[in-house]
Amino acid sequence: MTSVADRGVVVVTGASRGIGVYIARALAHNGVNLALAARSMDELERVRSEMERLGVKAVAIRCDVSKADDRAMLLTEAERQLGPVDILVNNAGIERVAA
């Protein structure tokens, strides 16, 4: 059986806070290299630093997933810095509420 640790690179969107941080930690504990994406670079950089202390490679990439150009750049940068992307955890989201 293949485990997540057998996958090389995972992209996690919405990785700067909330459940995104917990997802990144769980993946790091399993030895997965991470491309962490969010709009807030200060918070994202703290998460990246924590993941590297857990012993994995991690990069912080500023990305607004509501913008097509940012999404394309995210994958390009993740692959450039870490290699081919194996898994996408699409945690970032936009909620639109209408009355």
Side-chain angles (χ1 to χ4, degrees), residues 27-98:
L27 291 165
H29 282 294
N30 280 282
V32 174
N33 294 323
L34 299 164
L36 305 168
R39 292 179 297 176
S40 171
M41 278 306 288
D42 290 340
E43 294 175 45
L44 192 60
E45 186 56 36
R46 283 192 286 277
V47 176
R48 184 208 56 78
S49 180
E50 177 186 342
M51 298 309 108
E52 288 200 335
R53 286 192 306 273
L54 292 173
V56 300
K57 293 179 185 175
V59 295
I61 303 169
R62 190 195 177 291
C63 178
D64 181 342
V65 297
S66 71
K67 298 178 179 175
D69 288 345
D70 278 18
R71 293 190 304 268
M73 176 276 306
L74 170 59
L75 295 178
T76 299
E77 273 304 299
E79 289 184 347
R80 186 183 70 76
Q81 295 186 51
L82 297 172
V85 172
D86 295 293
I87 298 172
L88 167 65
V89 178
N90 194 22
N91 174 62
I94 300 168
E95 181 177 348
R96 297 181 195 250
V97 179

Side-chain angles (χ1 to χ4, degrees), residues 19-31:
I19 195 169
V21 178
Y22 292 97
I23 292 168
R25 280 187 194 130
L27 291 165
H29 282 294
N30 280 282

